[in-house]
Amino acid sequence: MTRRLCSLPRQPAPCFAPGLTAERLGALLAGRRMWVDGTVLHYAFFADVGDDSAASVIPVPGTGELRRVPWAGGEEQLDVVRDAFREWQGLGIGVTFAEVGDRREAELRIGFQAGGGCWSAVGREALSAGRGERTMNLGWDVTGPGERGTVLHQIGHALGMVHEHQSPYAGLHWDDEAVYAELAGPPNFWSRETTYTNVLCEVDAGEASCSVWDPQSVMTFPFGPGLVLEPEQYRGGLSPSGGPSPADKEFVLRWYPPAGPAGPAALVPFRSAPLGLGPGEQADFTVEPPETRDYTVGTFGDADTVLVVFEERDGVPRFLAGHDDGGTPDNAAVRVRLVRGRRYVVRVRLYSTWGAGETAVMCW
């Protein structure tokens, strides 16, 4: 029996500046969706507030009417998600998950729209979604047998992981038409484009978890027999374990190593804010540090930026650190001492963009 599968929308191919070396291009591809190590990723659940701000309004087939489908989930569903976050955290990764009650304060916003499929923004793609929008949806009952793996899979996406069965190192030779036919039927009812995007299309080598394919990865789909032609040992299907494998752990620890005595401190509770700027434009962000110490204030993403940090005194920003000399340091950062109880302004100016990705400002 075919299981319900995660369905991600097709994303445009990233566009980078011409003339980049293969090493630079590979690094940009590999890291474009990953968070800064030490990030506190805040997650929130949608509550049914009785209006359309936390619901989808969809047509009822054959009636011409609309119906409202809320994004709220039951407490048992929420507990499964909380437990899955704890399992990823338990691997010892340097990213921390923290639940918040206000979805506007969360980078990860989780809905449970029935019939809306299971999907998640991949890593920092979540920064591009509006503060009232979902970055993850769990569209069926995840309290059922075997569905814990579905939630672990979506959190893997939120950490920046892509589908493992689409790795170019898998060497899978699919029976394409059999795959299309299988997933066009129940329970997935996928179009050919959705099947191609989520199964048959290989991801770029720079985005793969590693250079060796892991059929036990939580990011691998389960498949029945008759869909894989080669290698021969997978003609009978793919049956991942349903939880993070040793290779999954190795991947996330490579990107998010735990902080040691000299490692990165936790980020200031200052949201990872997508700039949404055009070349030559600037924006100001405020920081209120929870403790007095030296911080790194910087940007990351697909852009050339410079930044200046001001200390706000009596409502007037006074220069503290940084520069704005028209240069183009990629993903600019400054080291500056911030004092608890004082308010600071980070001014970011965008000079050029590498491509379609977002740029964010953070403080850690």
Side-chain angles (χ1 to χ4, degrees):
M1 178 179 177
T2 302
R3 288 189 55 182
R4 288 174 289 193
L5 302 176
C6 160
S7 172
L8 302 185
R10 188 169 189 173
Q11 298 292 339
C15 179
F16 299 108
L20 294 176
T21 65
E23 292 78 9
R24 170 67 171 157
L25 187 58
L28 287 170
L29 281 171
R32 69 191 180 98
R33 293 184 173 121
M34 309 306 290
W35 302 95
V36 174
D37 189 39
T39 298
V40 178
L41 282 176
H42 307 82
Y43 67 91
F45 300 109
F46 285 87
D48 189 359
V49 293
D51 59 32
D52 296 338
S53 66
S56 294
V57 178
I58 61 176
V60 179
T63 67
E65 299 178 351
L66 299 175
R67 70 185 179 98
R68 179 180 174 277
V69 183
W71 296 345
E75 195 62 30
E76 290 186 358
Q77 301 256 73
L78 273 56
D79 283 343
V80 172
V81 178
R82 292 177 180 123
D83 194 49
F85 274 117
R86 284 192 289 269
E87 181 167 344
W88 277 108
Q89 192 75 72
L91 298 180
I93 60 177
V95 169
T96 302
F97 301 109
E99 183 177 349
V100 294
D102 187 345
R103 66 177 184 262
R104 295 169 299 181
E105 298 297 316
E107 291 82 19
L108 310 179
R109 298 175 295 279
I110 303 165
F112 297 84
Q113 180 198 332
C118 279
W119 50 264
S120 172
V122 180
R124 291 192 293 112
E125 288 178 356
L127 298 176
S128 302
R131 286 291 176 186
E133 295 298 321
R134 292 164 293 171
T135 68
M136 183 187 299
N137 190 72
L138 301 170
W140 55 81
D141 183 6
V142 294
T143 66
E147 293 298 345
R148 176 184 174 84
T150 298
V151 183
L152 291 166
H153 179 102
Q154 301 310 325
I155 296 174
H157 282 317
L159 286 169
M161 302 175 76
V162 296
H163 287 148
E164 181 69 10
H165 55 273
Q166 294 181 261
S167 168
Y169 304 111
L172 295 176
H173 179 200
W174 299 92
D175 184 335
D176 291 7
E177 291 305 319
V179 174
Y180 283 129
E182 178 77 9
L183 296 181
N188 293 291
F189 301 104
W190 281 2
S191 67
R192 291 178 71 91
E193 179 180 2
T194 299
T195 297
Y196 178 78
T197 298
N198 287 275
V199 180
L200 300 177
C201 178
E202 289 185 353
V203 301
D204 190 277
E207 297 181 285
S209 296
C210 60
S211 58
V212 178
W213 179 52
D214 177 21
Q216 291 304 309
S217 169
V218 74
M219 305 310 294
T220 295
F221 282 174
F223 289 103
L227 303 182
V228 175
L229 299 176
E230 301 291 342
E232 184 176 354
Q233 64 263 40
Y234 299 116
R235 291 179 184 174
L238 296 174
S239 300
S241 63
S245 68
D248 292 332
K249 179 177 179 179
E250 180 182 349
F251 174 77
V252 292
L253 286 175
R254 186 166 73 245
W255 279 102
Y256 308 123
L267 289 168
V268 176
F270 168 59
R271 307 307 169 206
S272 311
L275 298 180
L277 301 178
E281 297 178 342
Q282 69 180 34
D284 288 352
F285 299 89
T286 57
V287 178
E288 296 180 356
E291 58 181 312
T292 299
R293 62 175 173 85
D294 291 338
Y295 292 90
T296 299
V297 182
T299 63
F300 63 92
D302 304 318
D304 284 326
T305 57
V306 294
L307 60 83
V308 181
V309 180
F310 300 92
E311 182 178 355
E312 191 173 279
R313 293 286 186 90
D314 301 322
V316 178
R318 299 182 181 181
F319 175 81
L320 189 64
H323 65 286
D324 190 357
D325 58 6
T328 56
D330 185 24
N331 298 335
V334 297
R335 192 73 174 168
V336 60
R337 188 165 186 80
L338 304 181
V339 178
R340 179 180 178 179
R342 296 183 185 174
R343 184 181 177 93
Y344 299 87
V345 175
V346 180
R347 178 163 297 164
V348 182
R349 186 186 300 273
L350 185 70
Y351 278 90
S352 65
T353 57
W354 285 103
E358 282 282 358
T359 296
V361 57
M362 300 183 77
C363 180
W364 65 98

